[in-house]
Amino acid sequence: MAGSFDGKVAIVTGASSGIGLATARLLAELGAAVVLAARRGDDIAEHAEAIRAAGGQASHIRTDVSDSADVQAMVDHAVETFGRLDIAVNNAGIEGHISMLTDMPDDNWDRVTGINLRGNFLCLKYEARAMLKAGNGGAIVNVGSVNSFLGSPGATAYAASKHGQLGLTTSASAELAPQGIRVNIVCPGLVKTPMHQRIRDTIGDAAIDQGMITRVHQHRAGEPEEIARAIAFLCSDEASYITGATLTPDGGLMLTT
Ligand code: NAD
């Protein structure tokens, strides 16, 4: 795959840590100019600098994906900085407050769906507008979860928002396919990221190791880089006839009940 993104410009949201950071680094290694977007401006500034120091091309912009003006500014930044937009990875997401539905604060619902679902919608909207305007097609990958298919007791808003991303993906892919823009979704299982660690800290290692990892047929959590490679494949020209599809890098979590 080396060099397969030469001349391409990519946005990665949620690029300050975990899956987003691994994806930004991989796309840059493969030749793309990458815009790192996330809420934590200092972190993405450092990560963009590290990519440049390693010989890649990168820029950053502090972005709250639930804010329409921020998302529009993020897309404008990519086009103004690197001259075009070919690839977008809509990865930013939060797990929110872990509690039973009956105890869930109303504002947790708004925050989680606001970032995971409304945020994904806003990114698609402004990214697709820029791609349509340029007329060169494009590739967009949304990051869902196995909770795009499975319920998640204790994280209802998260599961609902992740289910919603499937509908966004299929609808957007059908709307944009005639213009050469592909939209796919990657739905990871358990991945060793700061989000995974926060959930471990909240529900305990035993609940993860005995309750969840045992259901993963590879008997381990994934590395962020393993998810980044699945995302990069769908962003690449190797996936030129794939749109509206779901890829589930989950170590076999969803194979059996
Ligand atoms: P993470 O917490 O390490 O990273 C999340 C990123 O999203 C960070 O960069 C954070 O700053 C950013 N972010 C959060 N809210 C934002 C906002 N409003 N605007 C812009 N950026 C924002 O988590 P991760 O595990 O790398 O998660 C990345 C994606 O992968 C999420 O969509 C998550 O739902 C999904 N996912 C993770 C796992 C897992 O086990 N880690 C499993 C399935 C799906």
Side-chain angles (χ1 to χ4, degrees):
M1 234 183 179
S4 55
F5 291 93
D6 284 350
K8 305 271 191 193
V9 176
I11 289 174
V12 180
T13 71
S16 65
S17 68
I19 295 167
L21 176 57
T23 304
R25 286 175 173 156
L26 178 60
L27 293 178
E29 258 173 48
L30 295 173
V34 181
V35 172
L36 291 84
R39 276 182 315 186
R40 294 193 298 263
D42 293 349
D43 289 0
I44 46 177
E46 274 176 34
H47 296 312
E49 178 53 39
I51 288 173
R52 288 192 295 272
Q57 295 180 78
S59 181
H60 74 279
I61 180 164
R62 204 212 67 82
T63 307
D64 178 348
V65 295
S66 66
D67 183 291
S68 189
D70 266 21
V71 175
Q72 205 168 352
M74 171 187 82
V75 172
D76 289 348
H77 177 83
V79 174
E80 281 159 17
T81 308
F82 294 119
R84 53 191 289 150
L85 178 65
D86 305 286
I87 292 164
V89 180
N90 299 322
N91 161 80
I94 59 166
E95 70 281 17
H97 180 71
I98 306 294
S99 72
M100 299 305 281
L101 169 67
T102 44
D103 299 322
M104 187 187 293
D106 296 352
D107 66 353
N108 180 67
W109 174 271
D110 295 337
R111 205 165 68 88
V112 173
T113 59
I115 293 172
N116 297 0
L117 189 54
R118 174 185 155 86
N120 197 162
F121 155 70
L122 291 172
C123 288
L124 279 169
K125 174 175 166 175
Y126 292 109
E127 292 156 359
R129 274 191 187 174
M131 289 174 180
L132 288 170
K133 192 170 166 203
N136 300 316
I140 300 176
V141 174
N142 297 326
V143 178
S145 164
V146 289
N147 294 124
S148 297
F149 307 96
L150 305 173
S152 183
T156 310
Y158 180 78
S161 66
K162 292 285 157 184
H163 276 67
Q165 287 184 273
L166 285 181
L168 272 179
T169 305
T170 48
S171 305
S173 64
E175 284 188 15
L176 298 167
Q179 286 84 25
I181 300 171
R182 298 182 296 102
V183 185
N184 292 293
I185 184 164
V186 166
C187 292
L190 297 169
V191 190
K192 290 182 218 158
T193 67
M195 177 186 288
H196 179 80
Q197 189 56 49
R198 285 193 300 274
I199 295 171
R200 272 186 177 276
D201 293 344
T202 307
I203 68 173
D205 287 342
I208 299 270
D209 293 333
Q210 287 148 35
M212 293 186 187
I213 300 282
T214 49
R215 291 169 48 209
V216 179
H217 288 266
Q218 289 189 351
H219 297 310
R220 65 175 178 86
E223 300 293 338
E225 292 74 18
E226 294 178 288
I227 314 307
R229 287 196 288 274
I231 294 170
F233 164 67
L234 287 173
C235 292
S236 77
D237 291 343
E238 303 295 314
S240 56
Y241 201 51
I242 302 177
T243 195
T246 303
L247 195 52
T248 54
D250 68 348
L253 173 59
M254 292 215 301
L255 288 175
T256 53
T257 53

